[in-house]
Every structure is written in C-alpha cells, then in structure tokens.
C-alpha cells in the first residue's frame, strides 16, 4: 500500500512537471517567430536589442534618426540598445526601401547573445516563474490545437476537477446504486417471505381448527375395524373433499396425526395408522423420499418411521449412506425400527464415522427393538469403520449383553486402542471377572488412556496380580496425576495395606494429597 | 508545496473512505445473507432434534459448569440453586469464590450444607492459591463443588475451575446469568453432531433481561428496557448475536464466544493453558488461542453456535458503567489481536488469518477511529468548500441507511425465528430506537471505543510489552508464569 | 357437575382429553400455557387439575406448587411429556400429586383414573 501511494505521488509530480515544460515551449523555436513573440511581449526584463547594419554607408535619414542613434563601427553601424520590442515592426519598416544588410543583435543585460541565447534566457525566466509571457489573443476560428497550447496552465485546480471528481462521481454512484439495488432486493425478498409465511401460518391455523374436532370424534366414535372398512368418500363427512385435495391441508393433517401418534397409546395408535393409510397420506410420505431437498427427505423418513410404513423400506435403505447427516441418521433410525428382523449389516457397511448424536439416537431405538426382536450385535465388530466397531462394543455394555462377552474376549487382543478402552469399560460395567488377565495386561500398558481404563476396571475386578502390577508401577514409573489417582484408588479398593505402604511416608507430596482425597468420606461416595 | 501536500492527502483519504464505505456496505450485506442462510438451516435442523433424549442418554457428554463469583452474597444461593436445577443428566456445578470480601462463601456453606474436603487435583494451569474445596453432605446437592480461593480476577478463577473440573465439556458462565432449563442439552448438541471434525467450542446467544419478568430461571414475559441505553443494547445484541455470529459461524470464522455463556472442550482448554489472566479480553483471547492451536496442529475443527434464546443477563443501563464495559471490550480486542498478530493475513491460518482477523482489525478495532476520521474529513471538505463534500455527505447518508437496514433486519430475524417481543408497543419502541440510535447512542459508543484505544496506548505494566510482542505459537501461554508479581 | 381444568399446550391432545371427559359428563376448561394455568386455578376453583410438565412460561412443577399452596385439597394429575423421567416423577409425587401419567398415554385410561380420583 505504501509503495502504491508513493508511486501515485511520484507520477503526479511528473505530470505537473511536464505541464510546466509545455508552457515554456510556447516560446517559438525559429528566429522570425521568436521576433514576433517578443513584439507581443514588448518588454522583457534584462533583455534588450540593437540594430546592426553591415554596410559601409548609411542613408542620411537613418543616420540622423534619433530613434536609432547609429554609431559607426569597424564593419558598419550599430544602433543604441533598446528595450521596447513592440517597436520592432515599425523600425524594420524604416529600413524597408533601402536594400541594406540589416540584422538584429540581442543583449542580456549588457552581454551580446545570439537569438537562441535570448530565447534560452526568456525560457529560463518563464520556467522559474519570474516572468509571465503574454499571449496573443487570437480568434477561436484559428487552429484549436495552437490555441490549446497557448492556454495558460494553472497546476492544481484544473488537475483536481478533471481527474478526481470524475472517479469520485463514479464510485459514489456505484456504491449508491449497489446499495439500493441490494437493499431493495432484500427487502422485497423478506416481505415476500414474511407474507408467504404468515399466509401459510394462517392457513395452517385454519386447517388445524378444521382437523381437531373431526379427528377427535373419529377416534372416539369409530372402532378400529369400522375405520378399516371406510371408503375414501366416507371420510368426506369428516374432512371436506376439496380440502383433502390441498397439499398444505394434507401436510397439516400428517403433522397432527404424527404428533398424536407419538403421545397416544393402545388402540388409538392403530386407529391413527389406519386413518393415515386410508387418506393416502402414506403415499405422500413415500413421495417425499424422492425430493431433492434434504429436509423434505428427512421429514418423509420421520413420517415413515412414526407410522410404520414398512412398504417403503427399500427406498429408505437407499438413503442409509446419504451424504447428508440428517438424512443418513433418520434413514438408519427408520431401518432399525421397521426391519422385520434387525439386520445390522447395513449399519456395519456405513462408511461415514458415527457421531455421538447418531449413536444416541440409534441406541434409543436399538434399546427399544432389542426387547422385541433378536439382535445380532456381533456383526458390528467386523465393520471396517472404526466408529461402528466402538459403537458395537458400547451397545454390548448398554444393552447388558453378557452373552457377547466371549466375542469381546476373542477380539480384545487384536483390536485398536479405542476399542480396547471400550472393552475394558464394558468388562467393568458387566462385571466380567474372568477377563482379569486382559485387564492386567492393559494395566502395564505404555498408553495412558488404556492403563487408566484398566485401572478403573481393576477397581471392581482386580486380583492379587493387579495389586502387584499397580504397586510396582506406582513405585517405579513417572505417572500423570490422573493415572496415579486412579491407580491409588484401585489399590485402596483391592488391598488397603499395600495402599498404606504406597502412600504413607511417600516422598512426593502428591501421593499424600491423593491419599487424603481417597480417605475423605465426603468424596468417596461422589 | 504545503498546499499541494494538503490537497494530495485530502485526495488519498477521500479514495480510502470511498473504498472503505464500499467495503462496509458489501460486507454487511454479505453478513446479512450468510446469517439468513444459517438461520434457515438451523431452524430446519431443529425440527428433527429430540432434546429430551440428550438429558438421559449415557452417550451424552458430561458438563462442568464453571461460575466465578465475586461479592455475590446477595444472590449467590438463588443463582446456585437455579444452576443445580438445570435439566441435564451428567453435570456438575463448580462455583469459584474469587476471594469475595462479603459473605458469599458463608452463605453457600450454610445453604448447601457444605464441608471442606481433601479434594486432590492437578494444578495444570497456575493460579492464585486455593484455600479449600467444599462439597455437600446432602445428596441432593451432590452436583455442587465450591472452590474458595484468593482473589485473582475472573480469568484466574475460571482457570482454577478448569483444573478441578471432571467432565469433558466446560460451560463457562457468569453466575448471575439466567439459564433456561434446557440450555445445556441445546448447547451440547453441536459437540455431538460432527463426524469428521472436532467441535472445540460452542457459543450461545445472550438475551437482555432488564425489565423482563423472570421466574425460576426463565424469562416469562419479555419487555423492552425503559432507558435509551437499554433499548440500544437490545438491538445491538440482536445485531451481534443473531446476525454477526450467525453469519460467522456459517463460514466457521467465529473469533468470539461470549464469556457469559460459552461451552468448551475441556482437554483442549487445558492443552492451550486455559485463560490468560493478563488481558481484559480473556474470553475472546481463549477462543482465538484455541483456534490457533488447531490450525497449527492442522486438525480439522469447528466452532458451533446456537441461536436459541437460552441465556439472559442484566446489562448496564448506566452510562458510566457501560462506558467502562465498552472501554474494556475495546482494549480486550486490541490486546487479543496484538497477542495473535502472527496470524494477520497469514494464509497458514486459513479463514481465521485471512478473513476473521482482518475483519476484526478493521471493523471492530479500528471502527471508532475510522468513523471519527471520516466525519472530520467531511467537515474539512465542507470548510474548504470542496466540491466533493457533497459526495461524502451522500456517503454518510448511505451509512445511516445501512445501519437502519442492518438493525431492522436483525429485529426482523428475531421476529421470524423466535418472536419473543410480542407486544406491538415494544416493537414500535425498538423501531424508533433504530432510527435515532445513530445520532444519540452511537456517538457515545464510538467515543468509549476511542477512549479504549487511548487507554491501551497509555497502559503500562510488565504485561504491556508481552501483549505488544504477542505469542509466537498458541502454546506460548503455557510457558509464561501467570503467577507473576504484577497486580 | 365437577369442574376439571386442563393445562396443556398441545391443542390436539387437550381437545382429545376434553372430548373424552365431556363424554363422562364433566365440565372441562382448557388453557394453553403456564401463566394462564395459574390464573385459571385462582379464578375457576376447579375440582381437579390435569397438567403437563413442560409448557411455555411456567413449568408444570411451578403450577403444582401454586395449586398446592392456594388450593391444597384439589387433586392433581400430571400428564408428563417428559415420559417417566425419574427426577420429575419424584418431584411431582413429593409435591403431593394424585397421579402421574407419562405420555404416550391412553385417553380411556385417563378417564378411568379421573373417575376414581373424583369419587
């Protein structure tokens, strides 16, 4: 930026410099024109001239002319010095009749110079601003270029108006136009949005009121088998036929039925489902799966899930590996919920890592379906997606699948760290005493996290071996505070005398602090 | 020659202001569009979220709420009670008594049946000495931890809390904030959602509680504050939160999460060394440092933002207090930018270095200076009788219109998305405020910002030079001794 | 005729409940948020209150507090949208509610419980 400013500054300077030079060039370049130019000036300070005649004799009239006051020299005659150039023309006319060898000699102060010398002197004066040349006032009809060349130059003011005001005008106009166009577009957009939205809201409210009463009476007055034999036209007694054609009305209806379905129990659920299908709302839900917009697809999936539309399962499957997070999660949730036997292979084949949010949703559904359907969790252990494998182990823990502990034991040695940590936690929660060998192996791991998880698991599952391992590790290793605290806690739970040995009289103050912490009754139950 | 220089400078500044105003208009319009898109997506996403699930799910992360308290004896018990009654499964409330001179600690001990414990923790971040850690005998207060320590300022108190915290996520809040009961579950959601990036922090919206009815921790009736400064801040908060941060979060360019309500990943906060107690802008500085750490470690990450109204606070309506707050904010901004100047226009830091940092440097830090200069400039043009003064007048008018547009849009957002101010009268008051604000309150805000600059330049002390030279790397904070002799 | 106050923000649910209870010959009143609920308790003097726990402005717990303070003898049935969340159930029974029905629920079952309580 700085260099840019400097450059502009310099270029501005050069521009003004050339303009000054141009002014000086107004002085003519050949001797006759220069003479004419001087006539126009009349007087130039320090510049004078003398007439020089290179003839042996001079007419009487000229000799006596008091204007010239010719004096005789070796080569001819020379006039007195004169300063009024305006008289030049008049004077030369006096020489006119006689064919004399007349010449003009210029003088700067008292020094004789050539006409070029005189010109140089004048140019200098102009350049330094010591002399303002007078310009000939000419008719505009004459050459415009010549005229322009002779127009006096005033450096700064002119420059400003011509250049600066133009770009300012340009930018300001651009900014204003830009601002107004964009803000008008935005305002119109917002107004349209608001009007559309409030219209929609209004319609929705209206429809809601039209739906609540008929739906309520339909649910209480008719039994399930009565509803299932109703024809489409029978519903027109409840919902006006022309409204059932409207998409928005159907959307509100879907929304209401689903909302109710979530909060109802018993025979009402069945009735709602039948109404949903009889009104062809299920076709709408399935249709929205083909939409290009993620939120419409997700909405469709939610509806299919809520209303148990098993016939749409193949289409749902197509979305299970979608790029969109919400579509993917909802599709998987729907599949888990609706599949006849819960085949977790599609989950195993997911390529995207599972987020905690998805795990939470899937866990809720799997928990629910595991009560009614057989669940082959172990397929998840074979997934090539690490987050799925970890989730599989978590599920063993959270669903309390003691039968799968054997499977975990089989894979525990070759899986990665994260899975091992998860397995340790599962052993701990499920009380897998037979796996203490694995726990003890992990206790001496170099990896902090793994050793920590092992120490936690050993708290309730440890044996004499664990005590030995912990005790020796406490004695020789430099441990982080977190790991040390857990090891001591575990040691305290397994063998109090060893715990006392490790902490009483320990050289470092930290062991003492941790000991006090562990023995504090207020902290032990937290 | 002098007059030449004068006119030349006039031209250069003129060009600068023209470019600047063009940039201001384009950037604000861009921000408006970005925030509108983000808001639309958020509302769509929200339709499919079941927050009730997070409360009980074993997969949801644990949250440690850190609330520093200094001389809060009057309200501390009620505030602690409302924090303890938040709807969430796995959380603890850590109240840090920062050497209060009143009976804050005594009141807590008495009301919650606290007892001093031998709680052992690792002081990973250096802080002022801790006098005791208290817990309750009563099982209903099992979530409460009270730390009593010597006074060291808000950042130091939070650092102590960070050392003691047990959960994966830290929620740093002002103890006098009113939190809606579902605030934790909503704020935790962004942490759980990402699959390929790690979410390092989540910011929330702060609402203004002045003149509103509050009952048991939620605002039951919204009303616009009575005073001009209060009303101004309502609009300002809409602008900052609903528009500004929403837009920045869309391009993952957030640089500030309000210190009154921010959620962070515990391990990362510890890794970068916690808050920096020697700056007045500790909340912004921490976020910038965490981001910088992730950029330097080249780990993909994201900052989340939740626009739901979940947290309310009383804002100062008194000019003297507000001026001090603004002065502090300005100094905090300058200090943070100074500390992390290594990122300025550095492509290594991606959006943070190339967009967020320059934006903050020009539009937040230098805004009061540029605005004053622009006004002076127009005045000079007017005095010298320059023809182009009229353009600059047009530009000023344009800036005014822009401020109207931006403010009106943020109020509209609030109306479309949440519609909390239901009374038509309140809306009228806000609109009137939008119209007069540029002439009444705004000049004061600019002046307080300028004073912040002046105070920063005047600021002395051992940490002044530290702040001026800045951190070379994000971890540098860890290497300096915070327990210094200053203060 | 016994007066029943229903405090529930979901209009469809509440009108369903209302429809069912009207069939049994009760005089039912409907309000849709916590603030209205508190007002209605004071002015209406109902024989039974049915309330949700999560509502705009005031939670069901607050409403129970209010009702127990001003009309300690009026029985209360909680219709919980929070399911059977332990904390809520405990708190509600601690405050002395007569019954706790988690959603999803069956309106017929609700009607039976109402009848039993009002006898």
């Amino acid at each position: 930026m700085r260099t840019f400013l400097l450059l502009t500054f310099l270029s501005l300077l050069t521009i003004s410099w050339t303009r000054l030079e141009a002014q000086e060039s107004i002085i003519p370049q050949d001797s006759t024109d220069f003479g004419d130019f001087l006539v126009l000036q009349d007087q130039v300070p320090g510049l004078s001239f003398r007439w020089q005649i290179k003839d042996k004799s001079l007419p009487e009239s000229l000799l006596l002319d008091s204007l010239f006051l010719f004096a005789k020299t070796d080569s001819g005659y020379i006039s007195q010095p004169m300063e009024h150039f305006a008289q030049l023309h008049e004077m030369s006319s006096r020489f006119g009749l006689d064919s004399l060898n007349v010449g003009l000699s210029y003088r700067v102060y008292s020094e004789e110079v050539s006409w070029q010398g005189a010109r140089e002197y004048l140019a200098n004066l102009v350049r330094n601003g010591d002399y303002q040349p007078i310009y000939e006032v000419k008719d505009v009809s004459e050459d415009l270029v010549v005229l322009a060349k002779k127009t006096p130059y005033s450096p700064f003011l002119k420059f400003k108006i011509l250049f600066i005001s133009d770009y300012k005008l340009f930018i300001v106009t651009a900014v204003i136009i830009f601002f107004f166009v964009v803000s008008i577009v935005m305002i119109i957009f917002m107004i349209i949005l608001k009007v559309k939205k409030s219209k929609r809201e209004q319609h929705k409210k209206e429809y809601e009121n039209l739906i609540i009463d008929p739906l309520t009476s339909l649910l209480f007055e008719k039994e399930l088998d009565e509803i299932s034999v109703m024809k489409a036209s029978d519903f027109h007694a409840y919902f006006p036929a022309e409204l059932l054609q409207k998409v928005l009305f159907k959307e509100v209806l879907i929304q209401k039925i689903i909302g109710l379905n979530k909060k109802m129990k018993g025979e009402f659920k069945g009735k709602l489902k039948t109404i949903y299908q009889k009104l062809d709302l299920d076709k709408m839900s399935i249709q929205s799966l083909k939409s290009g917009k993620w939120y419409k697809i997700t909405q469709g999936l939610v509806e299919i899930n809520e209303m148990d539309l098993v016939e749409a399962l193949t289409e749902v499957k197509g979305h299970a590996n979608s790029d969109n997070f919400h579509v993917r999660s909802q599709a998987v949730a729907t599949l888990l919920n609706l599949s006849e036997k819960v085949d977790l292979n599609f989950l195993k084949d997911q390529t995207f890592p599972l987020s905690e949010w998805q795990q939470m949703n899937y866990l809720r559904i799997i928990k629910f379906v595991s009560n009614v359907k057989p669940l082959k969790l172990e397929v998840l252990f074979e997934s090539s997606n690490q987050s799925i494998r970890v989730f599989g182990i978590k599920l063993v823990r959270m669903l309390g699948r003691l039968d799968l502990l054997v499977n975990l034991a089989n894979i525990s040695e070759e899986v990665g760290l994260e899975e091992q940590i998860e397995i340790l936690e599962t052993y701990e929660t499920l009380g897998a005493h037979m796996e203490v060998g694995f726990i003890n192996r992990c206790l001496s791991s170099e990896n902090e996290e793994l050793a920590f998880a092992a120490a936690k698991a050993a708290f309730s599952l440890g044996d004499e071996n664990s005590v030995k391992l912990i005790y020796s590790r406490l004695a020789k290793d430099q441990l982080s505070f977190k790991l040390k605290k857990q090891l001591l806690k575990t040691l305290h739970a397994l063998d109090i005398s060893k715990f006392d040995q490790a902490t009483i009289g320990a050289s470092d103050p930290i062991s003492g602090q941790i000991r006090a912490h562990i023995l504090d009754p207020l902290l032990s139950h937290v | 020659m002098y007059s030449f220089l004068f006119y030349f400078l006039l031209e250069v500044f003129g060009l600068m202001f023209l470019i600047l105003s063009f940039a201001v208009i384009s950037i604000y319009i861009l921000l408006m569009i970005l925030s509108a898109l983000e808001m639309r997506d958020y509302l769509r996403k929200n339709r499919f979220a079941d927050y009730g699930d997070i409360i009980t799910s074993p997969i949801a992360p644990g949250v440690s709420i850190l609330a520093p308290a200094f001389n809060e004896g009057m309200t501390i018990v009620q505030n602690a009670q409302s924090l303890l009654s938040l709807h969430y499964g796995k959380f603890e409330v850590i109240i840090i008594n920062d050497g209060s001179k009143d009976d804050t600690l005594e009141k807590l001990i008495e009301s919650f049946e606290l007892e001093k414990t031998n709680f052992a923790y690792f002081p990973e971040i250096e802080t002022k000495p801790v006098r005791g850690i208290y817990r309750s005998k009563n099982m209903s207060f099992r979530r409460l931890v009270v730390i009593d320590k010597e006074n060291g300022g808000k950042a130091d108190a939070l650092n102590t809390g960070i050392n003691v915290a047990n959960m994966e996520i830290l929620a740093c809040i002002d103890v006098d904030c009113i939190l809606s009961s579902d605030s934790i579950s909503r704020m935790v959601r962004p942490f759980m959602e990402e699959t390929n990036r790690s979410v390092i922090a989540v910011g929330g919206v702060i609402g203004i509680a002045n003149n509103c009815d509050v009952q048991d921790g939620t605002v039951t009736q919204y009303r616009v504050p009575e005073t001009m400064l209060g009303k101004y801040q309502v609009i300002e908060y809409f602008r900052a939160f609903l528009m500004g941060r929403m837009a920045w979060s869309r391009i993952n360019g957030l640089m500030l999460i309000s210190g009154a309500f921010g959620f962070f990943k515990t391990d990362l906060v510890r890794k970068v060394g916690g808050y920096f107690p020697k700056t007045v802008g500790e909340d912004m500085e921490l976020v910038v440092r965490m981001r910088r750490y992730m950029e330097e470690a080249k780990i993909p990450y994201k900052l989340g933002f939740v626009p739901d109204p979940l947290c309310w606070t009383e804002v100062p309506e008194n000019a003297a207090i507000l001026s001090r707050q603004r002065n502090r904010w300005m100094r905090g901004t300058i200090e943070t930018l100074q500390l992390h100047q290594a990122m300025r226009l550095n492509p290594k830091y991606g959006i943070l270095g190339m967009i967020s940092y320059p934006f903050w440097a020009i539009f937040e830090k230098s805004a009061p200076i540029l605005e004053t200069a622009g006004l002076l400039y127009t005045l000079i043009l007017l005095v010298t009788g320059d023809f182009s003064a009229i353009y600059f007048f047009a530009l000023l008018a344009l800036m005014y219109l822009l401020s109207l547009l931006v403010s009106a849009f943020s109020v509209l957002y609030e109306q479309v998305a949440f519609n909390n101010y239901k009374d038509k009268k309140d809306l009228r008051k806000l609109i009137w405020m939008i119209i007069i604000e540029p002439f009444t309150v705004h000049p004061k805000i600019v002046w307080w910002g300028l004073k912040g600059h002046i105070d920063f330049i005047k600021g002395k002390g051992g940490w002044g030079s530290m702040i001026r030279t800045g951190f070379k790397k994000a971890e540098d904070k860890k290497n300096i001794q915070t327990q210094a002799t200053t203060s | 005729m016994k007066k029943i106050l229903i405090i529930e923000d979901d209009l469809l649910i509440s009108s369903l409940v209302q429809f069912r209870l009207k069939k049994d010959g009760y005089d039912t009143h409907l309000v849709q948020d916590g603030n209205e609920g508190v007002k209605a308790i004071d002015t209406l003097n109902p024989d039974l209150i049915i309330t949700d726990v999560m509502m705009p402005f005031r939670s069901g717990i607050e409403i129970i507090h209010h009702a127990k303070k001003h009309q300690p003898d009026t029985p209360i049935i909680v219709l919980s949208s929070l399911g059977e969340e332990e904390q809520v159930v405990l708190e509600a029974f601690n405050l002395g509610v007569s019954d706790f029905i988690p959603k999803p629920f069956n309106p017929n079952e609700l009607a039976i419980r109402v009848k039993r309580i009002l006898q």
Side-chain angles (χ1 to χ4, degrees), chain A residues 212 220 263-265 267-268, chain C residues 10 15 20 104-106 108:
Chain A
I212 287 174
F220 282 112
K263 289 173 180 169
M264 290 287 124
K265 232 166 58 179
E267 74 262 36
F268 291 96
Chain C
D10 187 329
S15 53
R20 183 65 190 78
F105 72 110
N106 186 333
N108 294 331

Side-chain angles (χ1 to χ4, degrees), chain C residues 31-97:
Chain C
V31 293
Q32 288 196 51
D33 68 54
N35 280 343
E36 292 290 316
V38 168
K39 260 185 243 162
I41 290 173
D42 295 339
T43 53
L44 211 64
N45 211 359
D47 298 299
L48 175 74
I49 301 167
I50 299 175
T51 178
D52 193 356
V53 281
M54 280 224 302
M55 266 173 310
F57 304 129
R58 281 181 197 217
S59 74
I61 297 297
E62 279 174 66
I63 289 169
I64 300 166
H65 262 295
H66 181 90
K68 282 292 159 194
K69 204 163 159 194
H70 297 276
Q71 294 173 32
D73 299 329
T74 312
I76 300 170
I77 297 178
V78 177
L79 199 53
S80 166
S81 47
L82 277 177
E84 284 172 288
E85 213 215 306
E86 214 182 283
Q87 232 183 326
V88 182
V89 181
L90 287 179
E91 208 170 347
F93 276 115
N94 260 336
L95 289 169
V97 301

Side-chain angles (χ1 to χ4, degrees), chain B residues 253-273:
Chain B
L254 273 178
M255 286 254 278
L256 172 61
I257 282 174
S258 169
F261 189 50
F263 284 56
F264 304 92
K265 265 254 159 74
T266 311
D267 52 353
L268 184 63
V269 173
R270 286 192 182 137
K271 220 176 268 171
V272 300

Side-chain angles (χ1 to χ4, degrees), chain A residues 179-190:
Chain A
F179 175 82
F180 277 103
V181 168
V182 175
S183 43
I184 286 170
V185 167
M186 283 181 85
I187 287 168
I188 290 175
F189 179 73
M190 278 309 261

Side-chain angles (χ1 to χ4, degrees), chain A residues 209 212 215-217 219-221 256-257 260-269, chain C residues 8 10-13 15-17 19-20 23 81 102-109:
Chain A
N209 290 330
I212 287 174
L215 195 59
T216 314
S217 49
L219 284 174
F220 282 112
E221 283 164 8
K256 288 290 133 192
I257 293 179
L260 213 50
N261 187 52
K262 262 190 200 161
K263 289 173 180 169
M264 290 287 124
K265 232 166 58 179
E267 74 262 36
F268 291 96
K269 259 193 148 78
Chain C
E8 162 71 64
D10 187 329
L11 197 63
L12 194 50
I13 295 283
S15 53
L16 210 70
V17 171
F19 189 93
R20 183 65 190 78
K23 230 167 79 171
S81 47
K103 289 180 196 164
F105 72 110
N106 186 333
N108 294 331
E109 184 192 327

Side-chain angles (χ1 to χ4, degrees), chain A residues 5 9 12 156 160 164 167-169 171-172 175-176 178-180 182-183 186-187 190 197 294-295 298-299 302 325-326 328 353-361 363-364 398 481 485 513-514 516-517 520 522-523 525-526, chain B residues 4 8 11-12 15 18 22 25-26 29 32-33 44-45 47-50 53-54 57-59 61 115 117-122 135-137 139 142 189 192-196 386 388 391-392 398 401-402 405 409 412 416:
Chain A
L5 283 181
F9 184 73
L12 284 175
F156 298 112
K160 250 173 76 74
I164 296 293
Y167 85 80
K168 261 185 215 161
L169 186 67
I171 296 184
V172 172
V175 172
I176 292 176
F178 173 70
F179 175 82
F180 277 103
V182 175
S183 43
M186 283 181 85
I187 287 168
M190 278 309 261
K197 204 179 159 174
W294 69 264
Y295 53 93
T298 314
Q299 186 60 43
V302 169
F325 175 83
H326 302 276
R328 197 164 71 229
L354 277 188
S355 74
E356 285 180 332
W357 183 262
Q358 287 166 318
Q359 295 185 22
M360 184 181 84
N361 285 327
L363 170 68
R364 189 194 55 211
M398 286 161 181
F481 179 85
K485 192 169 169 182
Q513 283 167 20
I514 297 177
H517 180 118
D520 192 325
L522 253 181
L523 295 171
H525 64 252
V526 201
Chain B
F4 171 75
F8 177 69
E11 289 313 320
V12 171
L15 188 66
L18 281 176
F22 186 70
I25 291 178
S26 335
I29 287 175
M32 280 155 83
I33 294 170
R44 273 183 191 160
K45 242 164 58 176
R47 283 216 304 250
F48 306 113
D50 184 1
D53 218 13
I54 303 187
S57 179
I59 287 175
E115 260 176 36
T117 64
N118 291 315
F119 191 93
Y121 68 97
F122 181 59
R135 304 209 58 162
S136 177
K137 286 172 287 190
M139 271 304 279
R142 66 188 187 285
R189 176 184 169 191
M192 301 178 66
E193 230 178 30
E194 280 298 314
T195 49
N196 293 316
D386 193 300
S388 51
Y391 295 136
F392 285 90
L398 211 59
L401 287 178
L402 179 73
L405 187 73
F409 251 73
L412 209 62
V416 171

Side-chain angles (χ1 to χ4, degrees), chain B residues 87-153:
Chain B
H87 287 182
Y88 196 68
K90 199 172 156 198
F91 78 105
E92 60 179 356
V93 177
I94 302 178
I95 293 179
I96 307 116
N97 175 38
D98 191 23
S100 294
K101 299 198 170 53
D102 66 354
D103 56 351
T104 304
L105 183 67
E106 289 71 25
K107 283 226 164 117
L108 283 170
I109 291 177
E110 191 190 334
S111 317
F112 297 104
E113 303 160 54
L114 297 180
E115 260 176 36
K116 199 167 181 169
T117 64
N118 291 315
F119 191 93
Y121 68 97
F122 181 59
E124 196 170 342
I125 308 165
E126 236 180 303
T127 62
K128 291 268 148 111
V130 169
R131 294 194 282 239
I133 295 176
Y134 295 79
R135 304 209 58 162
S136 177
K137 286 172 287 190
N138 187 333
M139 271 304 279
S140 4
F141 306 131
R142 66 188 187 285
R143 298 186 193 279
L144 184 65
V145 179
V146 173
I147 305 174
D148 182 35
K149 67 181 274 289
E150 282 170 21
N151 181 274

